Amino acid sequence: RAEGPQMRRGYVGRDSMTASEKEVRKDDETREMISSMEMEDARKRGGNLEWLAVSSVMTVSIFAGLLGYDIGVMAGALLPMSRDLSFTSWQEEIAVGCLNFVSAAGSISGGTMYNKLGAVKCVKIAVVLYAVGMLVIAASYSFGMVFVGRLIVGLGVGLGFAICPQYIAEISPPAWRGVLVSCFEISINLGLCGGYLANLVVVDLSDSPRWRLLMLLPLVPTSLIYILNIPKLPESPRWLLREPRNEALARDVLVRTCGEAAAGPALADIKEIIAQQNAEEESQGDRGKKGWALLFEEPVARRALLIGAGTAFFQQANGSEAAVYYVPQVLKAAGVESERDQLGAAAVVGLCKTVFITVGQFSVDRYGRRVMLLTSIAAVTASLWLLAYCLGAAQAGGSAAGVTLF
């Protein structure tokens, strides 16, 4: 009986609200309902992180680590390799630098191969090229054989760099895409660090078995991922949807990588993007079939190409990558005679690079890409000037050069 009057009073209070008050209350309830529906829709679109997505990213990231290993291991393997095969200075430079030129060709061909073969077959080809190239280098007894092996490795590295990040993005749930794609870059630098450490571990071996063992070591994980992991990789749903008859397969991949709730919205988004691309190509007619030529004809595309390619070019041309390749030689020129100390310092350089790559991955969204890029350029420029001074000034020693490299 005590509750009856209270409920009645509340009921009367609601009845006694004015029409405007009722309208405001109704609008508030509607906004709350819409907000909750939008949050639920965003959650569904974001998707869950399914095990197939995790295992696929891990497989591709292991291969990324092997690509980084090649960079790190050559810094130390070049020393015994040069002594064993009697390389001249220019042969050393070609053996190291040819990989970057050939990997560029592998990257350029990556888009065409992806369109024709799909992501999984491209990953298989990249792994095979890498393994064959390292095997050829390990069996080499002349500069020519090493050169051929480095060319083959370069093709695999370039193809891997072109395909793997795109593949990770296309199989990742939208909510986890940024984190999972960054795993590729982090894995490269972990592999680079591993290459430096491998040099340090085998430093006491004689020259010939030492550098050959360093070339053979990555064949173990390469063989394992090729036999055990790569056959389980799902094909990219975006590549599958290039043919309408593969829609069921694409949906199945999305369900197994993003979850049932996110599969439908993700499938619709991909189909919409493909439809827009097809519509643009049809509207442009023969002009839409020009491919690479459009990069130079369209002002927006030309500017994007200039910025992207120019940034990548000067990142290599400024010499910072060369400094990473030639850490032992740089320290030797600065007065560090012990090869163990040179390789130990190289390992620390690799560790520092890995740490700050990780910091950069988690800072870029906070501070912005332009700020991070300009800050990095300024720091690299200052470091290279200081490194040049340390190598040229008589009073500077190995410690100064080492600090600059770090």
Side-chain angles (χ1 to χ4, degrees), residues 41 164 202 301 367:
D41 183 62
C164 292
V202 300
Y367 299 105

Side-chain angles (χ1 to χ4, degrees), residues 72-157:
V73 80
M74 279 303 293
L78 188 61
L79 299 173
M81 182 188 293
S82 298
R83 291 192 296 263
D84 184 40
L85 301 181
S86 303
F87 283 178
T88 62
S89 295
W90 70 268
Q91 287 176 329
E92 291 181 2
E93 294 163 5
I94 291 175
V96 171
C98 68
L99 184 137
N100 290 331
F101 286 99
V102 180
S103 62
S107 297
I108 292 173
S109 64
T112 302
M113 293 183 64
Y114 169 85
N115 290 336
K116 291 183 177 180
L117 303 176
V120 174
K121 288 184 179 179
C122 287
V123 172
K124 286 182 178 180
I125 293 171
V127 170
V128 170
L129 287 172
Y130 178 86
V132 171
M134 295 299 276
L135 192 60
V136 170
I137 297 172
S140 297
Y141 282 91
S142 67
F143 166 74
M145 290 184 67
V146 172
F147 179 71
V148 171
R150 293 287 287 172
L151 292 182
I152 298 173
V153 171
L155 290 173
V157 168

Side-chain angles (χ1 to χ4, degrees), residues 177-337:
R177 188 165 294 149
V179 175
L180 294 179
V181 171
S182 68
C183 290
F184 183 82
E185 184 68 27
I186 294 173
S187 297
I188 291 173
N189 287 276
L190 287 174
L192 183 144
C193 208
Y196 282 137
L197 292 174
N199 282 318
L200 195 58
V201 170
V202 300
V203 68
D204 293 325
L205 296 178
S206 58
D207 286 344
S208 183
R210 176 178 156 191
W211 70 264
R212 296 181 195 279
L213 177 61
L214 291 170
M215 298 299 110
L216 291 173
L217 279 177
L219 295 183
V220 176
T222 301
S223 302
L224 290 176
I225 66 169
Y226 188 84
I227 295 172
L228 301 177
N229 296 69
I230 290 181
K232 300 177 183 178
L233 290 179
E235 186 52 80
S236 162
R238 182 167 182 173
W239 185 82
L240 289 172
L241 283 173
R242 290 168 59 87
E243 295 291 339
R245 66 176 181 272
N246 293 330
E247 182 172 336
L249 293 174
R251 180 179 177 81
D252 179 64
V253 172
L254 290 169
V255 169
R256 291 189 294 143
T257 56
C258 305
E260 183 71 36
L267 187 69
D269 289 343
I270 297 172
K271 290 171 68 176
E272 182 180 355
I273 293 171
I274 293 176
Q276 289 176 353
Q277 291 175 341
N278 292 337
E280 289 177 1
E281 290 179 0
E282 290 177 1
S283 64
Q284 291 177 349
D286 292 337
R287 190 167 174 270
K289 299 178 181 179
K290 289 186 177 181
W292 286 92
L294 286 177
L295 287 175
F296 303 97
E297 293 180 3
E298 295 285 347
V300 175
R302 189 165 57 243
R303 183 178 181 182
L305 176 65
L306 180 63
I307 294 172
T311 302
F313 172 79
F314 286 108
Q315 183 182 9
Q316 298 292 326
N318 64 22
S320 59
E321 288 294 324
V324 172
Y325 267 119
Y326 294 106
V327 170
Q329 288 88 337
V330 169
L331 292 175
K332 184 177 181 179
V336 179
E337 296 297 335

